[in-house]
Amino acid sequence: MTHQFDTVIHGGTLVTAGETFKGDIAISDGKIACIAERIEGAERRIDATGRLVMPGGIEAHCHIAQESSSGVMSADDYYTGSVSAAFGGNSCFVPFAAQHRGQTIASVIETYDGRAAPNSVIDYSYHLIVSDPTPSVLADELPRAFAKGITSFKVFMTYDLMNVGDAGLLDILTVAKAHGALTMVHAENNDMVKWMNARLSAAGATAPKYHAISRPELAEEEAIHRAISLAKLVDAPLFVVHVSTRGGAAIVAREKEAGTRIFAETCPQYLAFTRSDLDRPGMEGAKFICSPPLRDRQTQEALWKHVSGGTFDSVSSDHAPYRFDETGKFLNGIDAPYPKIANGMPGIAARLPYLFSEGVLTGRITLQQFVAQSSSNAARIFGLTSKGSLMPGHDADIAIWDPELRRIVRHEDQHDAMDYTPFDGMELTGAPVTVMSRGALVVHDGELHARRGQGRFVARAPSGSGPMRGHRAPEFDAASAYGTDIRP
Ligand code: URP
Ligand code: ZN
Ligand code: ZN
């Protein structure tokens, strides 16, 4: 007997960024075909009674098969990274493709295509990290990347080998604006950090705990303010990644209120851990070294308020997996001083269970906010037009959650290539039990069903559109500019 639909998920509670309702959902040819109170038939029927049926998570900030600024390769490749993402409720991710100085953008994309296409089990795109904005990159190579559907460019204001400087950031913002791309920024004042490092080093303060002091809150706040000012000068949209401070979040909130075209995220680690974790015995604190660094309890509370209040468009993992051994954290030796320990921590699988348990079940965010911050906003902001929604016609990228499943996070249950998880021992309630990508099962009842390389590259639409207004710098008006036309 032939059926009208390939799959029907029945009996569940459907949750979107806008509403929650009981219904069945039918899938055909990898797309959501229809939603109705009751749908009969189908080749395969999945019982979602007592479960939540949501758009699959979209992980918009993760480092997969990527060399860090200091040349350390992340532990996860596109297979382990995507499998781990899927077990964490994600059906799509957007890792970084990083340009290191001297590399052409075309060669970077070719390298990452070679890493991703044969391996990923979920759909993917890349944000391009630009560290070398040469005239050729700006005039030719970034527009070509954009034409391939890579519509977001990330820049660093810190790390000597990646920092593009203010003029470089202005140039990249200008190119991005011209093409409808979105510039993402890691905002920390590089000189403040270097100055602190020098003083700490002179004082012999090299243990992991000093990492927190070395990257002051003011370094983030100043850089966020500066990055927004640069974006406003050229009237380009900006996405501020991994906001970790009260002051930084307050600046973002104020600018959003004023209508500035700015987007922002925070990450679970800034909500779950504090700088006291960097002071664990021996070198254990190295597991918690990430940049910007972990802060304090008051900051956690303030950041949660900004998650609840809508300052942050998404909560992303910033999954940057470096093992607790000489291939990762300790590439420079087991007792390396903190500035020589790899920056970053894993979290791609924990992001959504943590946000559900600590956000939804505590009442800090609604189910609608959960879907928005885990999936729909990333789809809208980063031009993933076929994802992040349960609307008919969209890709059937779906996560089915058991909202009552209690689990203790254990390293041995993880699917990444890491040898630790910072979330070890944490009890979380609510977990994804089924994840589908374009209608195909990726994870179901604890088992992986996907084939290596099943994920596809997603060419994205222009990024960075939103309800906010632009900003017009008066200096570019013909009258103020003495008749010149220097508008970006
Ligand atoms: O410490 C982190 N977050 N490492 C990854 C690179 C970056 O800064 O995003
Ligand atoms: Zn960063
Ligand atoms: Zn990152």
Side-chain angles (χ1 to χ4, degrees), residues 37-53:
E37 217 176 304
R38 200 173 157 78
I39 306 174
E40 303 295 341
E43 297 289 329
R44 172 175 56 193
R45 293 183 64 80
I46 297 176
D47 185 2
T49 307
R51 297 190 165 165
L52 304 175
V53 181

Side-chain angles (χ1 to χ4, degrees), residues 61 63 154 156 159 186 241-242 291-292 318:
H61 186 157
H63 302 266
K154 182 186 174 191
F156 287 91
Y159 303 139
H186 174 139
V241 300
H242 51 44
S291 296
D318 192 6

